[in-house]
């Protein structure tokens, strides 16, 4: 083995000699444009899944001419197999607040919101207390920016940014057409930066440690580290911060139980990688990107059950607004059931694969567009398990 | 004025009389009454100047904003694959036998509603369930029964 997997301690790191508010003060003393340049230079990409350059997103929002702008922290965390944002908000919430405040200062927003999923209601009371305290610190600094909490009510699709805005505005969580993008018309149709919880903490820590320290980690296309949620057939399930760009086989050596037959990278909407491809799969934006969910399956598991579970999930969570996704999810689920029962020939799986292509092109949002990821990667690599 | 009307008025005063408060107001009603009755939705519509259909339209989108009566305690068991692999079926069966209801149903005394839900975000500590807002991880059938016994005594 050429290289050991690199464990990193940035997100949860609590160094004694650094008052967290010093990080904020340091940032507020810098011109906004310098902070944007630093972020772009750092190569930080969003940790919520889509992987857009954070610095660029902020720049677009800053350049919009509007009196009202918003900063939103996306803590909806509904992707099956992801549980890191909860841990971050529980352990280091101030680092999230600081990232939001820096963003507010940079883009010229006065209001920030944390949209947290209803499943994490038990966190809200404690979080609100810390937030009240933090908002006071912002007032003391004469920074015209305050943060509030908004809760979700059990809908995976509300993690999609435009559905999240709809929900905050009191509507059904149905994704909007894009463009316009949130940087132009987000919450209340005003320019909005929406970032994942983890992305905001990296902003804080890049400000603290400097761009160089961050760039030393990862690869050209995937700078820095990332928090991974590891579950399934592993003796050590949990939350780990690892360097991006690692080969999957190293990950499996470190975390699996010695009998891994597949890893689902990126949750239900991600890709399934079979054992024979562990060696040449890179975890990062140049290979398979992930919001952090890593589910390990060993040889005792039925991949039919895994796919069936994911398709049930999408069928239930599809907002139903567009036909390719609403009907497509149902047909994929019914289709594999029919093949399993022998009511349809195995070649029917190829028709279903064509359906996922239609969904990728015609569905309105990332939910419907990405159902083909798990479907095709599981059907292609475990065809026998689906049929027999 | 009914108790529900008073509750809705209090919530609207707290969150503001705008459409953007709708989710918070509905969540507040569910927190107190466990579900949104027709009366509650009509009261919300009146206070926020919306049509009742519009309020129902929003509410019916969200799993946690129930529009049918629920028990005093709502049990939500995670059914997603990793919790499934760690034995969620046994936990569910144990609670079904204990409460003498199936998933999706409410006990006759209206003390418990038993539901299965999608990923709750504790895959490293499955099987897991929420009872109202409280989370219980690394369940065994025995442990789950003990937790629910605790609630029936409250
Ligand atoms: C169906 C769906 C669900 C999503 N859920 C989340 C989520 O729970 N958390 C999140 O940060 N991003 C989620 N996203 C991505 C967001 O739309 C958005 O890209 C992200 O919050 C941007 O933040 P980032 O640039 O920091 O990653 C989801 C996207 C889709 C299509
Ligand atoms: S793709 Fe699915 S979830 Fe997205 S807008 Fe269409 S129906 Fe709704």
């Amino acid at each position: 083995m050429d290289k050991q997997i690199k464990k990193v301690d940035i997100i949860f790191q609590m160094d004694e000699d650094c008052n967290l508010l010093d990080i904020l003060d340091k940032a507020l003393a810098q011109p906004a444009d310098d902070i944007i340049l630093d972020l772009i230079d750092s190569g930080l990409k969003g940790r919520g899944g889509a992987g857009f350059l954070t610095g660029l997103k902020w720049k677009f929002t800053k350049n919009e001419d509007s009196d009202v702008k918003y900063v939103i922290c996306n803590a909806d965390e509904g992707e099956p197999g992801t549980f890191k944002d909860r841990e971050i908000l529980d352990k280091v919430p101030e680092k999230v607040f600081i990232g939001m405040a820096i963003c507010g200062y940079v883009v010229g927003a006065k209001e920030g919101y944390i949209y947290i999923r209803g499943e994490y209601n038990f966190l809200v009371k404690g979080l609100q207390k810390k937030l009240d305290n933090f908002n006071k610190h912002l007032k003391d600094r004469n920074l015209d920016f305050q943060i509030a909490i908004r809760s979700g009510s059990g809908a995976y699709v509300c993690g999609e940014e435009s559905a999240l805005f709809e929900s905050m505005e009191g509507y059904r969580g149905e994704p909007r057409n894009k463009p316009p993008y949130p940087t132009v018309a987000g919450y209340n149709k005003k320019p909005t930066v929406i970032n994942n919880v983890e992305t905001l903490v990296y902003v804080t820590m890049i400000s603290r440690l400097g761009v160089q320290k961050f760039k030393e980690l990862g690869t050209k296309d995937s700078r820095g580290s990332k928090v991974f949620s590891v579950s399934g057939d592993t003796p050590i399930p949990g939350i780990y911060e690892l360097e991006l760009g690692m080969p999957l086989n190293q990950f499996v050596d470190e975390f699996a139980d010695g009998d891994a037959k597949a890893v689902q990278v990126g949750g239900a909407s991600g890709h399934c990688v079979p054992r024979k491809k562990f060696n040449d799969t890179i975890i990062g934006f140049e290979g398979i990107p992930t919001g952090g969910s890593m589910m390990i399956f060993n040889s005792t598991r039925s991949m039919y059950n895994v796919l069936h579970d994911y398709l049930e999930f999408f069928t239930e969570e599809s907002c139903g607004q567009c036909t390719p996704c609403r009907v497509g999810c149902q047909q994929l689920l019914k289709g594999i059931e029919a093949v399993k029962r022998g009511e349809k020939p195995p070649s029917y799986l190829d028709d279903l694969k064509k359906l996922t292509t239609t969904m990728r092109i015609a569905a309105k949002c990332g939910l419907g567009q990405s159902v083909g990821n798990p479907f095709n990667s599981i059907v292609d690599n475990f065809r026998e398990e689906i049929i027999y | 004025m009914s108790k529900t009307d008073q509750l809705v008025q209090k919530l609207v005063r707290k969150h503001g009389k705008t459409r953007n408060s709708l989710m918070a107001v509905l969540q507040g009603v569910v927190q107190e009454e466990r579900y949104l009755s027709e009366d509650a939705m009509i009261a919300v519509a009146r206070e926020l100047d919306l049509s009742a259909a519009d309020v129902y339209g929003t509410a019916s989108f969200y799993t946690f904003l129930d529009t049918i009566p629920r028990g005093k305690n709502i049990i939500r068991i995670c059914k997603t694959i990793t919790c499934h692999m760690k034995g969620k079926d046994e936990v569910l069966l144990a609670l079904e036998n204990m409460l003498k209801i199936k998933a999706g149903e409410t006990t006759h005394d209206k003390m418990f509603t038993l539901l299965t839900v999608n990923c709750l975000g504790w895959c490293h500590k499955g099987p897991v369930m929420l009872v109202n807002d409280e989370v219980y991880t690394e369940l065994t059938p025995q442990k789950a029964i003990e937790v629910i016994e605790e609630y029936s005594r409250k």
Side-chain angles (χ1 to χ4, degrees):
Chain A
M1 180 117 343
D2 46 335
K3 195 174 139 202
Q4 275 292 308
I5 217 165
K6 189 152 168 193
K7 299 230 169 93
V8 182
D9 183 24
I10 294 177
I11 292 281
F12 295 102
Q13 173 204 9
M14 276 311 213
D15 42 334
E16 308 286 303
D17 49 272
C18 174
N19 180 345
L20 282 172
L21 288 166
D22 289 347
I23 305 178
L24 179 64
D25 290 332
K26 188 175 134 197
L28 296 184
Q30 269 178 287
D33 285 327
D34 289 5
I35 296 177
I36 288 180
L37 286 178
D38 272 357
L39 277 182
I40 292 175
D41 182 31
S42 77
L44 175 64
K45 290 180 179 170
R47 298 304 197 232
F52 195 76
L53 266 179
T54 306
L56 216 49
K57 192 185 270 191
W58 289 24
K59 186 177 163 177
F60 291 157
T61 309
K62 176 173 190 284
N63 289 348
E64 285 298 315
D65 187 17
S66 170
D67 290 340
V68 182
K69 295 180 187 178
Y70 299 102
V71 176
I72 292 175
C73 167
N74 189 342
D76 199 51
E77 190 160 64
E79 187 67 53
T82 319
F83 39 87
K84 45 120 190 151
D85 291 338
R86 186 202 62 242
E87 190 84 356
I88 295 173
L89 282 171
D90 194 25
K91 298 280 156 57
V92 289
E94 283 86 2
K95 288 187 179 179
V96 181
F97 307 159
I98 290 172
M100 292 178 74
I102 295 176
C103 184
Y105 161 70
V106 167
V107 305
K110 296 188 180 69
E111 291 173 44
Y113 294 94
I114 299 173
Y115 185 95
I116 186 166
R117 67 191 303 224
E119 289 83 344
Y120 295 167
N121 272 347
F122 57 90
L123 272 182
V124 170
K125 230 181 173 167
L127 202 60
Q128 184 65 53
K129 245 200 201 132
K130 290 177 188 157
L131 198 50
D132 291 342
N133 196 23
F134 184 77
N135 279 332
K136 269 196 217 108
H137 286 300
L138 291 179
K139 280 206 179 116
D140 291 345
R141 284 165 174 72
N142 285 324
L143 185 69
D144 190 4
F145 185 75
Q146 294 283 291
I147 303 174
I149 297 175
R150 292 288 180 268
S151 292
S153 271
Y156 163 68
V157 73
C158 285
E160 197 280 340
E161 49 202 20
S162 62
L164 188 150
F165 304 142
E166 290 290 311
S167 175
M168 281 179 63
E169 291 173 23
Y171 294 91
R172 295 165 71 84
E174 293 174 345
R176 301 172 181 166
N177 279 321
K178 289 189 224 177
Y181 291 97
T183 51
V184 178
Y187 179 47
N188 289 338
K189 317 290 180 297
K190 300 289 181 194
T192 303
V193 170
I194 177 163
N195 274 134
N196 176 254
V197 175
E198 184 186 340
T199 312
L200 290 162
V201 177
Y202 277 121
V203 168
T204 302
M205 293 315 283
I206 288 170
S207 185
R208 155 96 178 106
L209 302 168
V211 173
Q212 218 44 46
K213 263 268 173 327
F214 184 79
K215 275 170 79 173
E216 278 164 18
L217 295 168
T219 60
K220 185 164 90 14
D221 295 312
S222 311
R223 292 280 181 223
S225 45
K226 162 108 201 61
V227 183
F228 287 88
S229 311
V230 184
S231 68
D233 292 309
T234 160
I236 44 169
I239 294 159
Y240 300 89
E241 188 175 2
L242 307 171
E243 189 174 11
L244 278 174
M246 64 184 163
L248 187 56
N249 61 339
Q250 279 181 16
F251 173 86
V252 169
D253 286 347
E254 179 104 13
F255 291 99
D257 60 2
D259 185 29
K261 85 166 165 192
V263 180
Q264 179 75 16
V265 180
S269 67
H271 296 261
C272 181
V273 185
R275 185 186 291 151
K276 63 175 185 285
K277 292 187 187 154
F278 287 169
N279 278 336
D280 38 43
T281 299
I282 298 289
I283 303 303
F285 297 105
E286 65 268 59
I288 302 190
T290 164
S293 168
M294 304 290 272
M295 295 184 196
I296 304 171
F297 302 108
N298 71 19
S299 61
T300 67
R301 307 295 175 186
S302 150
M303 296 312 286
Y304 173 82
N305 286 350
V306 173
L307 180 59
H308 193 270
D309 183 86
Y310 293 161
L311 291 176
E312 254 180 8
F313 172 77
F314 288 121
T315 304
E316 286 175 19
E317 297 293 341
S318 162
C319 83
Q321 179 182 195
C322 59
T323 316
C325 169
R326 183 184 65 246
V327 179
C329 290
Q330 291 169 4
Q331 291 306 318
L332 292 175
L333 180 60
K334 278 190 193 163
I336 63 163
E337 286 174 347
V339 171
K340 191 72 166 178
R341 285 195 302 262
E343 290 162 14
K344 292 276 183 193
S347 62
Y348 190 60
L349 291 175
D350 302 312
D351 296 334
L352 294 175
K353 279 177 63 182
K354 282 190 207 140
L355 175 57
T356 66
T357 308
T358 307
M359 291 168 72
R360 187 177 306 282
I361 297 166
K364 187 166 172 180
C365 87
L367 190 150
Q369 289 159 9
S370 59
V371 176
N373 297 342
F375 190 87
N376 295 331
S377 57
I378 294 179
V379 167
D380 286 347
N381 293 301
F382 298 97
R383 200 175 169 97
E384 302 73 32
E385 289 191 38
I386 307 298
I387 299 170
Y388 304 108
Chain B
M1 203 193 299
S2 76
K3 239 178 79 194
T4 301
D5 286 342
Q6 286 176 359
L7 172 65
V8 169
Q9 289 196 354
K10 196 181 96 194
L11 288 164
V12 169
R13 264 200 306 278
K14 180 173 168 202
H15 297 290
K17 205 179 163 76
T18 74
R19 173 104 198 198
N20 287 26
S21 312
L22 181 57
M23 287 294 284
V25 171
L26 295 177
Q27 286 159 352
V29 175
V30 170
Q31 186 73 31
E32 290 298 313
E33 305 193 337
R34 289 287 171 246
Y35 85 108
L36 298 163
S37 60
E38 250 181 64
D39 287 347
M41 286 187 276
I42 290 169
V44 172
R46 193 174 51 234
E47 293 300 320
L48 290 181
D49 229 347
L50 301 168
S51 77
D54 214 349
V55 172
Y56 176 74
T58 297
S60 60
F61 185 84
Y62 297 92
T63 330
F64 281 21
L65 300 179
D66 284 310
T67 52
I68 49 172
R70 296 296 195 197
K72 183 173 165 220
N73 299 294
I74 301 183
I75 308 165
R76 293 187 166 92
I77 300 185
C78 176
K79 64 172 175 177
T80 297
I81 189 77
T82 27
C83 277
H84 184 90
M85 285 158 57
K86 303 288 175 207
K88 136 268 134 191
D89 279 349
E90 290 74 26
V91 171
L92 180 61
L93 192 65
L95 292 187
E96 284 180 338
N97 287 337
M98 173 192 184
L99 298 169
K100 302 197 171 49
I101 49 173
K102 294 274 168 227
E105 296 175 351
T106 300
T107 55
H108 280 301
D109 61 4
K110 300 271 187 295
M111 274 296 280
F112 294 100
T113 296
L114 183 62
L115 303 172
T116 58
V117 293
N118 286 325
C119 191
L120 289 171
W122 293 89
C123 319
H124 58 322
K125 292 190 174 165
V128 48
M129 67 177 176
L130 282 179
V131 182
N132 308 326
D133 284 344
E134 288 305 310
V135 61
Y136 300 89
T137 61
E138 291 168 299
L139 293 171
T140 58
Q142 191 52 37
K143 198 171 149 190
I145 288 172
E146 282 164 19
V147 169
I148 299 309
E149 275 172 351
E150 199 55 40
Y151 277 89
S152 19
R153 279 195 287 272
K154 274 189 210 165

